[in-house]
Amino acid sequence: MAAPIPKSKRPVLLSNLEGHGDTINKAVGVPTEDAVISVSDDKTLRVWVKRDSGQYWPSICQAYEASASAVVYHHASQRLFVGLGNGTIHEYRLSRDLNRLEPKRTYLAHSNRVTALKYIPELEWLLSVSRDKLFQWHCTKTGRKLGAFDAHAWCLAVEYDATNKYAFVADFSGQINVLKLDTSGFQLITTLRGHQSSIRSLSYDAEKRVLFSGGFDQIIVVWDIGSQKGTAYELTGHKEKIVALAYSSSAQKLLSSSEDGCMGIWNLEGERVETAEWGAGSSCEKCGIPFFWNVKEMWSKKTVGVRQHHCRKCGRALCGKCSDQTSTFPPMGFEIPVRMCQDCHSAITTDDRSPMANFHEFQTAITCMDLDDERSSLVTTSNKVIKVWDVRAMLS
């Protein structure tokens, strides 16, 4: 594993919340309150409030006809949206004392499990994605559907850029579709391709206009949306599927979690190097030996072809002998040793290898994270358990 987080900076567990009878799909903290809202496959939504005893107990337990699979809460307007496994979305007003839910509207939005929700208060839009392969957005003033986009794969995560009215829709195929939205429809701006498998989580830095995507291919891709140059770089340090991301704009740190219970804390203040584009040659770009599919060159040189590899630093297509070195290279996001050519390996200095991320092993996998940046409080879920952490030291 890459550099472990120092003991003095580890997250401090404040509370354990248990009571759901099945997998918890999402849990979010209530800003300015010691409270948590959670949804679960046990077909309930629960609002947990911290009591005088210091323990959290449910003040609300709302039951549904299907599993509760997604939730988003906007504290200023008290609007709460709950997505279900059957595709329905319920809207509520949560009372200030956190003891009552007032039903407002039901959206018959999707035909399959709702996987993520995003509320845009400035426009009063509700964005939703689902396993029915659709991204939709509704007007919460009227309840009218404003538009829909077919991604042709399960839609798993959604984020939004208020500056350009861009929606980022991540799907099971590993693509992110960038859509410009308005009340009459959408325009497909581009499709971001950087992952080799499903994208489970997105996070967005609205100030720098940078998008983070975490995939089942164990990498995080950082997309520079604001520059409009299409630049991106990878963060590599996890050894299992990445399932959750949370970004701290005040600390300029990205938190990531993977299926093996590992949490990464990525420092994004330092200068980063864009991921190299991989060469597509049919022979080694250093020694010239043909790759095994280059039959013409093999016949010409009377030699057996070899497997193609790539140097992760320069991107050249190389044979195994010419790329037999390994090293970390944090400026490019490589916190664990990766394959490199001999030239790149010899050019890397000791300073170049200084870690720009730390990692912490939890006892169980964290499947969902919600960060309150102002209070330095982190809400995590692991199967049927919710935990509240103080991450002040970790973010400092």
Side-chain angles (χ1 to χ4, degrees):
M1 191 181 75
I5 187 170
K7 191 172 183 179
S8 61
K9 288 185 173 290
R10 291 177 185 175
V12 178
L13 180 62
L14 300 177
S15 296
N16 247 2
L17 288 63
E18 298 185 50
H20 277 292
D22 209 332
T23 302
I24 299 167
N25 294 308
K26 183 77 174 178
V28 296
V30 178
T32 73
E33 303 284 348
D34 289 321
V36 175
I37 303 170
S38 61
V39 292
S40 166
D41 279 342
D42 66 5
K43 302 181 181 181
T44 67
L45 169 139
R46 302 187 187 205
V47 179
W48 308 78
V49 179
K50 190 175 183 180
R51 309 300 181 180
D52 293 338
S53 63
Q55 299 296 313
Y56 284 78
W57 293 97
S59 62
I60 296 173
C61 183
Q62 175 70 40
Y64 297 100
E65 70 276 12
S67 61
S69 54
V71 65
V72 64
Y73 175 62
H74 184 247
H75 189 55
S77 65
Q78 301 170 255
R79 276 180 151 164
L80 175 68
F81 300 89
V82 182
L84 303 185
N86 62 7
T88 302
I89 302 172
H90 293 286
E91 178 185 350
Y92 302 94
R93 180 184 177 276
L94 179 60
S95 64
R96 289 293 181 191
D97 62 7
L98 307 177
N99 284 318
R100 297 186 312 281
L101 280 180
E102 179 186 346
K104 287 295 185 181
R105 182 176 279 114
T106 296
Y107 303 83
L108 302 177
H110 297 277
S111 60
N112 206 332
R113 185 183 182 92
V114 178
T115 50
L117 298 169
K118 184 79 176 179
Y119 178 59
I120 316 301
E122 300 84 3
L123 301 172
E124 295 194 73
W125 286 359
L126 176 66
L127 315 184
S128 62
V129 291
S130 166
R131 287 186 182 177
D132 65 3
K133 306 179 183 180
L134 292 179
F135 159 70
Q136 296 188 22
W137 65 107
H138 288 78
C139 174
T140 57
K141 275 186 178 180
T142 63
R144 182 171 67 92
K145 184 171 78 172
L146 299 176
F149 170 75
D150 188 349
H152 304 290
W154 283 3
C155 297
L156 300 178
V158 62
E159 270 294 348
Y160 186 76
D161 173 14
T163 303
N164 286 320
K165 295 186 179 179
Y166 285 172
F168 306 100
V169 181
D171 64 38
F172 193 78
S173 71
Q175 298 184 160
I176 303 172
N177 290 292
V178 183
L179 310 171
K180 187 175 180 64
L181 307 182
D182 58 39
T183 54
S184 60
F186 69 88
Q187 177 187 357
L188 178 60
I189 301 300
T190 189
T191 299
L192 304 177
R193 297 179 175 89
H195 289 275
Q196 302 301 313
S197 58
S198 305
I199 299 170
R200 174 70 179 273
S201 183
L202 295 176
S203 188
Y204 191 65
D205 177 3
E207 293 180 13
K208 294 188 175 180
R209 297 182 60 210
V210 172
L211 178 70
F212 309 96
S213 58
F216 282 9
D217 53 5
Q218 305 171 14
I219 66 170
I220 300 164
V221 181
V222 183
W223 309 88
D224 186 357
I225 304 299
S227 70
Q228 298 184 342
K229 295 179 181 178
T231 57
Y233 61 88
E234 296 178 4
L235 302 177
T236 304
H238 286 282
K239 297 181 180 179
E240 290 293 339
K241 298 174 182 177
I242 296 170
V243 293
L245 298 174
Y247 179 69
S248 168
S249 57
S250 62
Q252 294 188 50
K253 291 183 178 179
L254 179 71
L255 309 184
S256 59
S257 66
S258 54
E259 283 190 342
D260 57 357
C262 178
M263 174 181 283
I265 303 94
W266 307 84
N267 183 1
L268 301 178
E269 286 184 302
E271 186 176 346
R272 295 282 182 170
V273 179
E274 186 180 3
T275 302
E277 187 173 344
W278 282 14
S282 56
S283 299
C284 176
E285 293 184 47
K286 186 173 183 181
C287 70
I289 189 170
F291 298 131
F292 65 83
W293 64 82
N294 189 354
V295 178
K296 183 178 178 180
E297 191 71 11
M298 285 191 291
W299 179 261
S300 172
K301 293 185 174 181
K302 300 295 188 292
T303 186
V304 177
V306 297
R307 183 181 173 188
Q308 183 191 69
H309 297 278
H310 287 88
C311 171
R312 298 305 193 271
K313 186 173 183 292
C314 68
R316 289 187 297 172
L318 302 165
C319 68
K321 286 186 178 180
C322 293
S323 60
D324 59 354
Q325 303 296 310
T326 61
S327 175
T328 62
F329 189 53
M332 197 173 273
F334 301 128
E335 296 289 338
I336 55 177
V338 294
R339 180 183 292 271
M340 288 188 184
C341 66
Q342 295 151 2
D343 296 338
C344 288
H345 185 268
S346 60
I348 296 176
T349 66
T350 301
D351 288 343
D352 289 335
R353 293 187 175 92
S354 298
M356 298 176 72
N358 297 103
F359 293 83
H360 182 64
E361 295 284 354
F362 288 87
Q363 293 181 348
T364 57
I366 292 175
T367 56
C368 169
M369 294 191 292
D370 182 69
L371 177 65
D372 186 333
D373 211 0
E374 285 190 17
R375 305 175 75 192
S376 297
S377 173
L378 181 69
V379 176
T380 66
T381 64
S382 301
N383 196 10
K384 302 177 185 179
V385 179
I386 303 167
K387 294 184 179 183
V388 182
W389 305 84
D390 181 346
V391 292
R392 199 177 317 275
M394 191 172 73
L395 296 178
S396 63

